[in-house]
Amino acid sequence: MTVMIAPEMLSAMDGIQWHRICRVDDLENCWGEAALVDGRQVALFRISETEVYAVDQRDPATGAYVMARGIVGNSGTRATIASPLHKQVYLLSTGECLGNPDLLLPVHPVRLEDGAVLVGLAGSGGGAGA
C-alpha cells in the first residue's frame, strides 16, 4: 500500500472514508483526470507507477472546476500542478500555492492497493471502504 500525502497531513486522516476510483493503469502519466467522488469533484494526477495525487477539481483562485486540465510540473523534487486559467502553481502533496500564500488547493490522501486508486475524503458518506 502507498499513501500519497504530505507527512504533516497524516494526523488529519482520522475519519477518512476511502473510495475506489479506478485502476492506476487507467490514468496517464503526468495528465489529470476528473472524478466525481461521493458528490465531490476531484482531480487525479498520476506522476509515476507508484505516485498518484488527488486534489479538488475547483480552482481556488477562480472557482472554476478545471484543475484536472492543469499543467503537471515540479518544484525541485516536489510535484506541482499549474492552474489552466491563471497559471497559479500548487504543490500536489500539500495544496500550497507557490506564488500566493493566500490560496490553498485542498488535497486528498490516495492509497494504491492491488493496482487500484483509492481516494480518501473526510466526513464523506458511503463509499468503498478499505
Side-chain angles (χ1 to χ4, degrees), residues 62-114:
T62 66
Y65 289 83
V66 296
M67 293 307 292
R69 295 296 152 239
I71 300 166
V72 175
N74 63 58
S75 176
T77 60
R78 302 173 302 173
T80 61
I81 184 67
S83 167
L85 297 178
H86 297 292
K87 307 302 185 248
Q88 291 89 356
V89 177
Y90 300 90
L91 293 176
L92 283 171
S93 61
T94 65
E96 171 190 358
C97 181
L98 299 180
N100 183 345
D102 293 332
L103 295 175
L104 183 66
L105 178 64
V107 298
H108 308 287
V110 173
R111 293 189 338 201
L112 305 180
E113 291 183 355
D114 300 323

